[in-house]
Amino acid sequence: MWISPLPLDVGLRDAYLGRLGLDAEPPSVEALQQLHRREVERVPYETMWIHAGEAWGTDPLESVKRIALHGRGGYCYHLNGAFGALLQSLGYAVSGHVGGVHGPAGPDAESAGNHLVLMVSNLPTDENPSGIWYVDSGLGDALHEALPLLAGVYEQEPFRLVLDEPEESAGEWHLTHDPAGGFAGMSWKTTDAELGDFATKHQWLSTSPDSGFVQVAMAERRDATGVDVIRGLVLTRIGKGARSREPLTERNEWFAALADVFDLRFDGSTPETLDHLWNRVLAGHHA
C-alpha cells in the first residue's frame, strides 16, 4: 500500500487534524464521514501553486506538510494522497487507485491516470456489508461525504451523483456527476495503484500550455449545500446561495477572498512568490 510507506509523525498528524478541527479517534464509519466532510470543507482544491511558479511533486508526505503546516491545498494527487496518509495514520485500511476524469463522451484511455482515487475497507454496515467505501476529497465540486461502494443514486446537496459498476468493464467503477457539476464523470480501476502511475499525467496537467490548470488559476471548496469556486479573479457559488461576483481586481481583496472563503493562506510562500502569482492571474484576466 503506497499511500504512506511510513507512518505520519504524531505531531504532523495532529497538526493536520488541527486544520480540520478534529481529534484523533479510532476508525469507524461515523469518524470517516466526519473526516471527509471536514477535509473538503477546510482544505481547498486549488491550482494557485502552478501560477505562483511552485513546482509540486506528488509525494503524499510533502502534501501533508503543505496542508498541515502551510495553509495550502492542491489538486487530486495532493489532496487524496495527503488524506489517504492521514487516514492510514489513524488506522484505516486505505488503498489508492488509478482514475480518469472524463468529458461528456465518457471514459477513455486518454483520461486514465488524471485522477487518484481512494478506497477504505473493513468498515461494514448493514447497508454496506462489504465494508468498502469510495473516498474522494480530490474532485473539487463532487463528494461531500464518502460513498458506500454500492451501485446507486446518491443525493449530496446540490448534486445528484450516480455510482455504478459497468458490466463491460470488470474491476472498474464509475461516478456520474450532476449536470450542474464541473465535469461529466470519473471511472477508476479497483486494482491498487503505485505512485509512479500518475507521474506522466501530473507532469502534463501542471506544465502543459494545453492544460486547463495551467491556463486558469482556480480553487474550489465544498460544503453541505454547495461549492464556492474562484477562477482567475471571478468568485462564484453553486448551490444554496448561488451567486457570481464582479471580478476581484484589487490584490488585497483577492487574497482576502482566498483566505476567508477557501482557507488558503500561503503561510510558507515568499513575498516574491505571491507577487508572481498575483501578476500572472491579473495578466490572465486582462488577456
Side-chain angles (χ1 to χ4, degrees):
M1 194 177 304
W2 64 265
I3 293 293
S4 181
L6 298 174
L8 290 185
D9 173 85
V10 172
L12 187 58
R13 182 203 68 182
D14 289 347
Y16 195 149
L17 288 171
R19 185 166 182 192
L20 304 186
L22 297 172
D23 295 319
E25 58 179 286
S28 69
V29 174
E30 294 75 16
L32 174 65
Q33 295 292 30
Q34 177 76 304
L35 284 160
H36 200 290
R37 290 191 294 268
R38 290 293 182 87
E39 173 78 11
V40 298
E41 290 170 357
R42 299 195 178 194
V43 182
Y45 188 102
E46 58 111 342
T47 63
M48 299 299 169
W49 54 280
I50 296 174
H51 298 264
E54 298 173 312
W56 290 2
T58 58
D59 179 3
L61 180 58
E62 293 303 312
S63 299
V64 168
K65 291 177 180 177
R66 285 190 295 266
I67 289 169
L69 305 177
H70 301 306
R72 298 303 298 271
Y75 61 13
C76 68
Y77 309 126
H78 310 121
L79 298 177
N80 279 338
F83 192 46
L86 174 65
L87 292 174
Q88 198 172 51
S89 76
L90 293 169
Y92 291 88
V94 188
S95 54
H97 306 272
V98 172
V101 175
H102 63 78
D108 55 36
E110 181 62 26
S111 65
N114 70 14
H115 187 63
L116 163 62
V117 175
L118 299 180
M119 294 199 302
V120 168
S121 56
N122 300 338
L123 291 178
T125 66
D126 291 342
E127 296 77 20
N128 185 19
S130 76
I132 303 174
W133 298 81
Y134 162 45
V135 173
D136 206 330
S137 66
L139 278 175
D141 70 351
L143 272 64
H144 185 236
E145 294 185 328
L147 295 179
L149 197 65
L150 295 169
V153 177
Y154 299 90
E155 302 286 343
Q156 293 194 0
E157 189 177 348
F159 300 132
R160 179 180 183 270
L161 308 171
V162 181
L163 196 59
D164 64 89
E165 189 175 15
E167 293 183 3
E168 70 277 9
S169 302
E172 290 191 12
W173 282 82
H174 183 264
L175 175 75
T176 302
H177 201 354
D178 190 278
F183 61 94
M186 188 276 298
S187 63
W188 78 94
K189 298 181 181 296
T190 55
T191 52
D192 287 355
E194 297 181 359
L195 192 57
D197 294 337
F198 306 99
T200 299
K201 284 294 185 184
H202 171 61
Q203 176 71 14
W204 187 89
L205 290 168
S206 61
T207 63
S208 172
D210 295 326
S211 167
F213 295 137
V214 174
Q215 294 169 0
V216 180
M218 55 83 67
E220 295 178 317
R221 184 195 63 87
R222 186 73 160 96
D223 61 36
T225 63
V227 187
D228 293 303
V229 182
I230 192 164
R231 292 180 59 80
L233 303 181
V234 180
L235 177 63
T236 62
R237 179 166 175 82
I238 302 166
K240 187 176 181 180
R243 64 186 181 276
S244 181
R245 297 184 181 178
E246 291 296 314
L248 303 174
T249 55
E250 296 296 327
R251 174 180 170 136
N252 290 343
E253 184 182 28
W254 187 73
F255 276 107
L258 294 181
D260 297 342
V261 178
F262 301 95
D263 195 25
L264 189 49
R265 302 185 183 278
F266 304 98
D267 294 339
S269 300
T270 66
E272 293 77 16
T273 297
L274 299 184
D275 288 343
H276 183 85
L277 170 61
W278 170 249
N279 291 334
R280 178 165 169 174
V281 173
L282 185 62
H285 175 76
H286 291 315

